[in-house]
Amino acid sequence: MTSLLHLGAIVGGVVGSVALAGYVARLVFGSAELPRVLRRRQEQPAVPAGRPLERVAADLRRLSAQLVRVPAGAPMARRRGLQAAYDDVLVEAARLLEVPQTLDAVPPGRARDVERLRVQTALATAGLVVPD
């Protein structure tokens, strides 16, 4: 009985070794995959951080045109809302083109207006023509 157990263990060891060698060979030559828990995370293609620059530029043009067309008697909330939206898209464009800006940190007023003009000029220098 003991010799039969030894023989079974030897046969099991040989069969297991051959199976393992075959699996390793398939891994090496690419016809098998590692189990999911052992696989390294596959590098995903870089996803752009944010919207395409073309869409951001189109939004800048649209918002600039809307700001120019705000009638004189319109509520101040409308002008401020459009200006805030324009500034947000301007910051997004600056981030996409890696233009330094502090527009989102400057409080509303003359300093923010000056920073807005500076960012528009820097974006134009970087190749994105931003309407005034």
Side-chain angles (χ1 to χ4, degrees):
M1 181 73 174
T2 307
S3 60
L4 193 57
L5 287 175
H6 285 279
L7 180 62
I10 291 172
V11 169
V14 169
V15 169
S17 297
V18 170
L20 181 62
Y23 181 70
V24 169
R26 286 190 316 232
L27 278 176
V28 169
F29 295 111
S31 64
E33 291 184 357
L34 283 171
R36 185 174 300 204
V37 293
L38 297 178
R39 282 186 230 156
R40 287 187 181 173
R41 280 178 70 168
Q42 298 288 332
E43 287 279 332
Q44 297 295 329
V47 177
R51 301 182 302 153
L53 185 59
E54 295 83 11
R55 183 172 285 170
V56 172
D59 282 350
L60 281 173
R61 287 189 295 273
R62 178 181 55 80
L63 289 167
S64 176
Q66 286 179 356
L67 272 168
V68 170
R69 287 187 304 229
V70 173
M76 186 55 76
R78 180 176 176 192
R79 175 170 286 287
R80 286 184 182 161
L82 281 170
Q83 190 67 63
Y86 181 80
D87 289 350
D88 288 346
V89 177
L90 205 60
V91 167
E92 184 178 6
R95 186 174 50 250
L96 286 172
L97 292 175
E98 298 178 355
V99 170
Q101 59 81 27
T102 59
L103 191 60
D104 50 357
V106 177
R110 194 170 300 270
R112 189 176 184 103
D113 295 340
V114 169
E115 177 63 9
R116 185 180 304 112
L117 289 173
R118 190 197 65 77
V119 171
Q120 288 173 336
T121 304
L123 287 174
T125 302
L128 179 67
V129 178
V130 180
D132 292 336

